[in-house]
Amino acid sequence: DGGITQSPKYLFRKEGQNVTLSCEQNLNHDAMYWYRQDPGQGLRLIYYSQIVNDFQKGDIAEGYSVSREKKESFPLTVTSAQKNPTAFYLCASSDSTGLNIQYFGAGTRLSVL
Amino acid sequence: AQRVTQPEKLLSVFKGAPVELKCNYSYSGSPELFWYVQYSRQRLQLLLRHISRESIKGFTADLNKGETSFHLKKPFAQEEDSAMYYCALSGGYQKVTFGTGTKLQVIP
């Protein structure tokens, strides 16, 4: 089954804890993205990466960190500095042909215990 | 800075009525505009993009640079069109900005 795989589907975080959301793609896409989806606020860009070993902050990067060590993987860590982490997180990828069409994962719902 | 505005959170129409989902954007260069759709319990997916000037599932969208708009239209709404619709803009360096979304509810 090809595409974007996010895991876990549900995640719970305790106060002061860092948690990592996984995103893997087998589409051979260069670019990958992390969005946060909150009711009434649409999708807000957290981080994006155009190529391996490089990434840029999006609009709401504070309290989050990412890495891009492999083309297929773009994990997102929600750190304890993120005071309001409860949200639905979406990962996406796109190719670099110029079409810039985004392909999305099924998402991870993060809640605070 | 790039910005996308979708003024309506919810749009309710009767089956068979015309649909227009509004999208306005702000971008200093030449943007790429997209409409994405999320049906219930499905992933967010591309509906159409302005470059291709295509009609998908009866939907069309025309880029109006003078009004900086990219409204999504369909002449006759169907029940299966009920979903969440997002307008998106791609500027430089592959950064993509999404609007806040409009929930379309088609009443039988």
Side-chain angles (χ1 to χ4, degrees):
Chain A
D1 186 22
I4 312 288
T5 302
Q6 289 186 242
S7 62
K9 192 172 181 180
Y10 300 97
L11 187 59
F12 297 91
R13 193 191 90 166
K14 295 180 181 178
E15 291 289 338
Q17 185 181 40
N18 293 352
V19 292
T20 298
L21 285 61
S22 171
C23 178
E24 303 278 331
Q25 55 103 355
N26 61 5
L27 300 170
N28 200 34
H29 286 168
D30 288 315
M32 295 187 74
Y33 305 78
W34 274 105
Y35 295 93
R36 172 177 170 143
Q37 190 175 30
D38 296 282
Q41 299 196 51
L43 276 72
R44 292 182 291 168
L45 182 64
I46 304 173
Y47 269 98
Y48 65 110
S49 168
Q50 296 173 271
I51 199 167
V52 174
N53 292 322
D54 186 40
F55 49 83
Q56 288 80 40
K57 292 182 178 180
D59 300 314
I60 55 166
E62 187 174 346
Y64 301 96
S65 66
V66 294
S67 62
R68 188 84 188 277
E69 297 177 2
K70 298 187 299 181
K71 188 175 186 177
E72 304 80 23
S73 178
F74 191 41
L76 173 74
T77 296
V78 184
T79 73
S80 57
Q82 173 49 246
K83 298 306 178 187
N84 184 24
T86 297
F88 192 62
Y89 291 86
L90 283 172
C91 179
S93 71
S94 67
D95 62 28
S96 54
T97 61
L99 298 177
N100 209 7
I101 296 170
Q102 304 228 312
Y103 296 83
F104 285 86
T108 292
R109 185 164 298 279
L110 175 62
S111 301
V112 178
L113 290 176
Chain B
Q2 54 192 63
R3 176 175 285 187
V4 176
T5 303
Q6 293 181 252
E8 303 141 328
K9 287 187 176 180
L10 173 66
L11 181 65
S12 296
V13 300
F14 285 101
K15 178 182 173 182
V19 174
E20 183 179 48
L21 298 170
K22 291 183 167 43
C23 173
N24 288 91
Y25 68 90
S26 174
Y27 184 66
S28 57
S30 293
E32 294 179 62
L33 275 297
F34 306 82
W35 276 100
Y36 284 82
V37 61
Q38 190 168 28
Y39 300 104
S40 179
R41 299 188 188 86
Q42 293 188 28
R43 299 185 184 200
L44 191 60
Q45 59 187 292
L46 178 71
L47 179 63
L48 55 78
R49 52 197 170 100
H50 89 272
I51 288 178
S52 56
R53 301 183 64 81
E54 57 201 345
S55 173
I56 303 293
K57 298 184 179 182
F59 285 98
T60 59
D62 290 320
L63 178 61
N64 186 323
K65 291 187 177 180
E67 295 182 358
T68 59
S69 68
F70 188 56
H71 303 327
L72 183 67
K73 299 178 183 179
K74 185 171 183 177
F76 307 105
Q78 299 174 315
E79 288 181 64
E80 54 266 33
D81 296 329
S82 294
M84 196 75 182
Y85 291 80
Y86 292 95
C87 183
L89 178 154
S90 175
Y93 304 103
Q94 294 187 292
K95 182 182 178 183
V96 181
T97 299
F98 283 80
T100 52
T102 298
K103 183 176 181 178
L104 175 63
Q105 183 181 57
V106 180
I107 304 166

